[in-house]
Amino acid sequence: MGAAAARGRRVLLALGLALLVALRGCAAQGGEDGGGGSDAPAAATAPMEEKERAALYAAIEGFVGKGWNGSGLYPDPCGWSPIQGVSCDLFNGLWYPTAISIGPVLDNSLQCAPDARFSPQLFDLRRLRTLSFYSCCPASNPTAIPAAGWEKLSGSLETLEFRTNPGLTGAIPVSLGRLASLQSLVLVENNLTGPVPAELGALLKLRRLVLSGNGLSGPIPATLGNARRHDELLIVDLSKNHLTGSLPASLGGLRGLLKMDLSNNQLDGSIPPELGALGNLTLLDLRNNSLTGGVPQFVQGMTSLQDLLLSNNPLGGSLPATGWEKLSGALATLDLSNAGLTGAIPESMASLARLRFLALDHNRLTGPVPAGLAELPSLGALYLNGNNLTGALEFAPGFYRRMGRRFASWDNPGLCYDVAAVDAAHAPAGVVVCKDLQEPSVVPRDGTEEGGGRKPEASSSLAASSAVVGFSAARGGGFWSVVAVQGTVAAVLGLVLL
């Protein structure tokens, strides 16, 4: 029995030695290919130019601080000691860094030092395709984007993204217009000032331009509508800045555009009819500006529109009486609140079969409320409050039960409801019973109105969107309980956005 056990041990030992030899052979081979284990000798590192390796260490050190020992921690950055956030590709038998991403994304991600800066060696990375950093420059460390050096990356850089950096100050360099290969330029929620460079119009491969949440000023350059780039640009988001002037008619030349967000600026003038040529546009967000000239009739020909947001502009005029049925195949969100609108609510709006959210509140609309609005199959929120609408609400009891506080019609002195059509628990807030319409309202001390219940303090106004964002709560009153609507709109805006 003892002899058998000894033989068994010898067999296991032999198998173990054979396995160890095989593993060492694989490790040596892996080192030669740039993918071996951490015990590989220095001679087996991935083939890489020493100048390229040094430029990578210096570029990262500029962001993460001088105490970072790149050569000691990551002697083979494209091989067996990769750096989190750095990607490499093989060109002509040599490895080159092609992507650098810095910021608190993962637990082991490289994070910027309080004194982060751009290193000149960054522009020596000849194959760099992507450069991004997030939450890298605090307000205590004002840092400008370098004005020179970008031309060295003109043949390689495809993505440039700087997000959420309060200390990233100064102007957007005009030299970014030399990045001929650039497809995505995202400079979001920084502290950049000055104009939008007209030179960005020369980026013929650009597919996404997102400059939201900065302090940019001046007009939107007409060059962004470069006629040589009809179908390339898909997303333009210049929201949450201080841009002034009118909308350039040249933007109508961006025939491939899917999303345009120019909200929360100081733009004025009318909406140019040339935008009607944007046949692929799914989002047009011009909220919170100073635009005039009425709701343009041409939007009814933009049959791909899913979200049309024009609220908080002194547009004036009346709603187009006909033609809304042309948008029935796609339109899900229509926000025309606080737009100075007059006249009646068109009956043809009841043909918007996919509409989920309709806001016409805080205008000067008159006449009856079309009964067909209650029959819209997808409608989740309807805001008509703050107008001069008159007559009886001719909605079925099920409508009031389904909508709850997502239906608002108060502050319409001539509007009433039929008490026989709805129980007291679901009566429209702030609206009197039709028999009491000619009688003076009695407002008790608790703020309720006889026959109409408590009048909520709320507005339908949607908060500003971001590139990669949806809508946030506006002014309470139960409006944001429409989770389904909010989720749908946020998915569309998410830019990306984003």
Side-chain angles (χ1 to χ4, degrees):
M1 192 71 176
R7 285 196 299 274
R9 284 195 296 271
R10 285 196 296 272
V11 170
L12 290 175
L13 180 60
L15 289 174
L17 289 173
L19 180 61
L20 180 61
V21 170
L23 288 174
R24 284 181 175 176
C26 291
Q29 183 178 359
E32 293 172 0
D33 293 338
S38 59
D39 292 332
T45 59
M48 185 178 182
E49 290 185 7
E50 187 55 39
K51 180 181 178 182
E52 193 78 11
R53 194 193 320 268
L56 175 64
Y57 293 150
I60 295 177
E61 184 181 274
F63 293 122
V64 304
K66 292 184 177 297
W68 185 75
N69 182 12
S71 58
L73 294 171
Y74 307 99
D76 189 15
C78 290
W80 52 268
S81 60
I83 304 172
Q84 176 66 40
V86 175
S87 298
C88 300
D89 283 326
L90 194 63
F91 297 92
N92 298 323
L94 296 175
W95 288 96
Y96 291 86
T98 54
I100 298 177
S101 179
I102 299 175
V105 178
L106 302 174
D107 290 340
N108 59 341
S109 296
L110 293 172
Q111 299 190 28
C112 283
D115 59 348
R117 59 180 179 83
F118 289 87
S119 170
Q121 285 86 351
L122 173 68
F123 302 111
D124 291 332
L125 298 172
R126 291 176 291 168
R127 303 281 187 173
L128 192 64
R129 291 175 178 167
T130 298
L131 174 63
S132 67
F133 61 71
Y134 161 69
S135 192
C136 201
C137 301
S140 58
N141 179 35
T143 304
I145 300 175
W150 297 103
E151 64 279 356
K152 295 181 180 180
L153 302 178
S154 63
S156 64
L157 198 64
E158 298 175 355
T159 299
L160 183 62
E161 298 190 5
F162 302 150
R163 297 176 181 266
T164 316
N165 298 281
L168 193 62
T169 61
I172 298 175
V174 298
S175 56
L176 295 187
R178 301 179 185 176
L179 294 170
S181 300
L182 201 64
Q183 297 180 22
S184 178
L185 177 59
V186 177
L187 307 176
V188 173
E189 294 181 353
N190 301 298
N191 200 15
L192 300 171
T193 55
V196 176
E199 288 78 3
L200 298 183
L203 301 176
L204 301 183
K205 295 184 178 180
L206 199 65
R207 301 175 68 82
R208 182 169 61 160
L209 176 63
V210 183
L211 307 178
S212 61
N214 287 284
L216 302 174
S217 58
I220 298 174
T223 55
L224 294 186
N226 194 323
R228 296 169 57 194
R229 188 183 51 202
H230 288 306
D231 301 321
E232 291 295 327
L233 198 57
L234 303 178
I235 298 173
V236 171
D237 184 354
L238 307 181
S239 63
K240 298 185 188 177
N241 282 290
H242 307 299
L243 302 175
T244 56
S246 58
L247 299 178
S250 60
L251 295 179
L254 301 174
R255 304 298 174 84
L257 203 64
L258 299 177
K259 303 178 189 298
M260 180 188 292
D261 188 351
L262 306 178
S263 63
N264 294 278
N265 281 290
Q266 298 160 25
L267 302 169
D268 55 28
S270 59
I271 302 173
E274 286 80 4
L275 296 190
L278 302 178
N280 296 315
L281 202 67
T282 63
L283 167 71
L284 179 59
D285 190 350
L286 303 176
R287 291 171 295 158
N288 301 308
N289 280 289
S290 298
L291 299 172
T292 56
V295 177
Q297 185 93 35
F298 68 76
V299 298
Q300 296 178 332
M302 302 170 74
T303 55
S304 295
L305 270 181
Q306 298 175 19
D307 300 278
L308 177 59
L309 312 173
L310 304 178
S311 60
N312 297 311
N313 282 287
L315 291 172
S318 59
L319 291 166
T322 60
W324 292 101
E325 65 279 358
K326 299 175 184 177
L327 299 176
S328 62
L331 193 64
T333 305
L334 179 58
D335 185 2
L336 300 174
S337 61
N338 194 28
L341 301 176
T342 59
I345 300 175
E347 294 279 352
S348 62
M349 277 191 165
S351 64
L352 296 171
R354 294 183 179 272
L355 199 63
R356 293 176 176 270
F357 176 94
L358 175 59
L360 300 173
D361 56 288
H362 295 95
N363 285 293
R364 298 191 297 276
L365 298 172
T366 56
V369 177
L373 293 181
E375 304 300 323
L376 291 173
S378 301
L379 194 65
L382 174 60
Y383 293 90
L384 305 175
N385 50 296
N387 283 288
N388 295 311
L389 300 171
T390 56
L393 289 170
E394 299 180 358
F395 296 160
F399 172 80
Y400 297 108
R401 289 194 295 270
R402 175 170 60 89
M403 300 291 284
R405 292 187 177 182
R406 294 168 302 186
F407 170 64
S409 56
W410 60 84
D411 282 346
N412 286 282
L415 200 63
C416 65
Y417 74 97
D418 183 358
V419 70
V422 58
D423 59 85
H426 298 96
V431 181
V432 299
V433 177
C434 286
K435 70 181 180 61
D436 299 328
L437 185 59
Q438 301 302 324
E439 301 175 6
S441 297
V442 178
V443 182
R445 289 181 179 272
D446 65 356
T448 60
E449 292 189 10
E450 185 178 8
R454 182 178 295 275
K455 173 180 145 183
E457 296 296 331
S459 167
S460 72
S461 298
L462 298 173
S465 65
S466 69
V468 175
V469 307
F471 299 129
S472 59
R475 290 191 282 274
F479 168 72
W480 291 105
S481 61
V482 55
V483 177
V485 176
Q486 181 187 21
T488 299
V489 179
V492 173
L493 293 180
L495 223 128
V496 212
L497 309 96
L498 345 143

